[in-house]
Amino acid sequence: MQTTELRQDSLLSLATILPPAFAGFFVAFGCWTLFAVIGVHVRTQLGLTDIQFGLLLALPILSGGVIAVPAGILAQRFGARSVMLGCLAGLIPIMALLSWVESLWSYFLVACGLGLAGGTFSSGLQFLSNRAPPRHRGLALSLFTVGMLGAGFNYYLVSVVHEAYSWRAAPMAYLVLLVVVTALYALLTEPDTRPTNYHGPNRKPGNIGLLYNADVLLLCLLFAVTGGGILALALWLPDFISASFDLPLNHGARLATGFIAPAALCQVLGGWLADRCGAVPVLRRALMASLIPGLLLSYPTMSLAVEGSRGLIHLQIALPLAVEIGLIGLLGVTLGIALGSLLRLLVELQPERTAFCAGLMLLSGCLAGFLLPLLFAMANHWIGIRSAAFMLLFGFSAVSLWALTLHSRRYIRRRLLKGEKPLSPWG
């Protein structure tokens, strides 16, 4: 009876703290990726070159990764709630500026300011890690990161606002949403107590020590492959699908949601499984499963000439559109589960420094999300095969799986040599 009451109390606590944090991250992520939608209008208005347009899209991602690290440090010092509230409030004047800027450098400045959304990621994870019941911590963190669907919300919001008014009204719509969400977050969440993970003058050495900590470096590598891979494919898939099957770009973008939606929603499944089965086993199996669709998608369209008794027989081997989209969706499912379990692993390994480590992970993910599309384009240019991007992602996933397995085995071997029993999470 008492156990049932404790479970009900923990679920009630989770239901209280999660909605305002999720809403804040959802709207912030929409602001963060807003240029992916309105950037086309800015490009037409200013006559941007490909390099200038690419820089406009990349600056929010890069600045978000950079801002996430100091935001994590500030969350440890002043409290995660205060930092997330500050990041949300800071996005309000950025949206106001975006509605009237005209010059290219002004857009670049605003793009850098949108990186404040990255601070909501690291501080939000710390906020939930401190308050969520330990039994449901993985589920809470994965539900929080489903807020990445805010990027998909842009397509609907901007199209509606553009048809009714103009694309310049989209930032004002987000400004209203930010004001409402920030007010609700301030009213519905309790103020921070003094952070228990702050240790005065010892804080800085502890954070610096994490920069060469093997566990943290492995977390960054895994997040670069999972989170960065999801971000890179979300940017690259619309053009890939359109070019591969000779479809309009809008049609390719809609089909690409068959990857984005499962990748975001299946993080919940990954966090839930990690709570019950352990983060490392779920993460390892999800990465292994991701190799299957990655390998199948790597094979390009091939023409085969077979010499028969009556002459040459020409065969063309290609995946139908439905099968291709199905495999891409399966890849999104596996990467989403891996990402959800990875967040649970982060909290298990660094419960007191979740925000700082999350900032480092987001920085690695943003760098991967920026560099991988460039590698995809270079591979396509040099090899001349569009599916070379999946070959690269397959290789990166295999390397990360090998690193995870090697690190786990080294930990277990080290414990056994000392005569100690392997402990969670690596054991």
Side-chain angles (χ1 to χ4, degrees):
M1 181 68 179
Q2 187 177 3
T3 303
T4 303
E5 292 178 354
L6 289 174
R7 288 184 179 180
Q8 291 176 348
D9 290 342
S10 64
L11 290 175
L12 181 61
S13 174
L14 181 61
T16 303
I17 63 174
L18 183 60
F22 170 82
F25 183 60
F26 181 89
V27 175
F29 203 90
C31 297
W32 196 16
T33 56
L34 185 59
F35 275 123
V37 182
I38 69 171
V40 177
H41 303 288
V42 177
R43 183 177 190 174
T44 303
Q45 174 187 328
L46 301 180
L48 302 183
T49 64
D50 290 338
I51 294 178
Q52 290 171 332
F53 180 66
L55 188 59
L56 183 66
L57 296 181
L59 277 176
I61 296 174
L62 293 177
S63 62
V66 172
I67 290 174
V69 177
I73 298 175
L74 292 174
Q76 294 174 186
R77 175 64 179 89
F78 299 105
R81 175 184 179 272
S82 302
V83 174
M84 187 171 182
L85 193 60
C87 291
L88 290 172
L91 285 171
I92 294 175
I94 299 297
M95 288 292 106
L97 286 173
L98 183 56
S99 63
W100 62 268
V101 293
E102 296 288 346
S103 66
L104 176 61
W105 289 106
S106 299
Y107 278 110
F108 283 166
L109 182 62
V110 170
C112 291
L114 291 178
L116 284 170
T120 63
F121 176 81
S122 54
S123 58
L125 288 181
Q126 183 70 67
F127 172 80
L128 288 174
S129 175
N130 291 342
R131 292 166 169 81
R135 178 181 176 85
H136 302 290
R137 198 165 283 165
L139 178 63
L141 297 180
S142 57
L143 282 170
F144 172 76
T145 54
V146 171
M148 290 192 301
L149 287 174
F153 179 67
N154 280 332
Y155 289 100
Y156 299 99
L157 177 66
V158 174
S159 62
V160 170
V161 173
H162 179 60
E163 290 178 4
Y165 303 100
S166 167
W167 68 268
R168 281 192 168 276
M172 297 304 298
Y174 264 113
L175 188 150
V176 174
L177 289 175
L178 279 170
V179 170
V180 173
V181 167
T182 304
L184 290 175
Y185 184 80
L187 293 172
L188 298 179
T189 56
E190 297 180 357
D192 290 304
T193 57
R194 181 176 178 82
T196 57
N197 53 344
Y198 174 66
H199 302 290
N202 296 326
R203 180 185 77 258
K204 187 175 180 181
N207 287 335
I208 291 179
L210 292 177
L211 296 177
Y212 48 85
N213 181 281
D215 289 346
V216 175
L217 292 176
L218 179 61
L219 289 175
C220 291
L221 171 63
L222 293 169
F223 192 87
V225 173
T226 55
I230 290 172
L231 179 59
L233 286 176
L235 297 173
W236 176 78
L237 277 176
D239 181 68
F240 167 78
I241 296 173
S242 302
S244 298
F245 295 95
D246 195 23
L247 299 173
L249 185 59
N250 290 339
H251 193 186
R254 286 195 296 270
L255 290 175
T257 58
F259 168 82
I260 299 170
L265 295 175
C266 285
Q267 294 177 49
V268 180
L269 177 60
W272 180 80
L273 289 172
D275 283 337
R276 282 151 181 77
C277 307
V280 173
V282 174
L283 178 58
R284 183 184 294 116
R285 286 167 173 78
L287 287 175
M288 290 176 61
S290 71
L291 297 178
I292 299 174
L295 178 63
L296 294 176
L297 289 167
S298 298
Y299 279 93
T301 300
M302 294 179 288
S303 295
L304 185 64
V306 180
E307 187 172 350
S309 59
R310 297 181 181 179
L312 291 177
I313 301 174
H314 295 278
L315 300 176
Q316 187 172 13
I317 303 174
L319 292 176
L321 176 60
V323 175
E324 186 99 9
I325 298 302
L327 289 174
I328 289 174
L330 180 59
L331 182 62
V333 169
T334 55
L335 290 179
I337 292 175
L339 183 54
S341 59
L342 181 60
L343 296 175
R344 173 64 185 184
L345 180 60
L346 163 65
V347 176
E348 291 184 19
L349 293 175
Q350 299 292 337
E352 296 184 347
R353 299 185 185 273
T354 299
F356 179 71
C357 293
L360 293 176
M361 291 167 61
L362 184 61
L363 177 59
S364 67
C366 289
L367 290 175
F370 173 70
L371 294 175
L372 282 177
L374 296 180
L375 293 177
F376 294 165
M378 287 188 290
N380 185 25
H381 178 73
W382 290 336
I383 303 175
I385 299 175
R386 292 192 182 94
S387 61
F390 292 108
M391 299 178 191
L392 287 173
L393 192 61
F394 174 85
F396 294 147
S397 299
V399 169
S400 64
L401 177 61
W402 172 80
L404 174 64
T405 304
L406 183 63
H407 186 79
S408 180
R409 288 181 178 178
R410 281 181 176 176
Y411 170 83
I412 295 173
R413 188 183 300 114
R414 196 160 51 240
R415 297 282 300 186
L416 292 176
L417 289 175
K418 292 180 181 179
E420 300 173 346
K421 183 179 179 181
L423 301 175
S424 177
W426 301 115

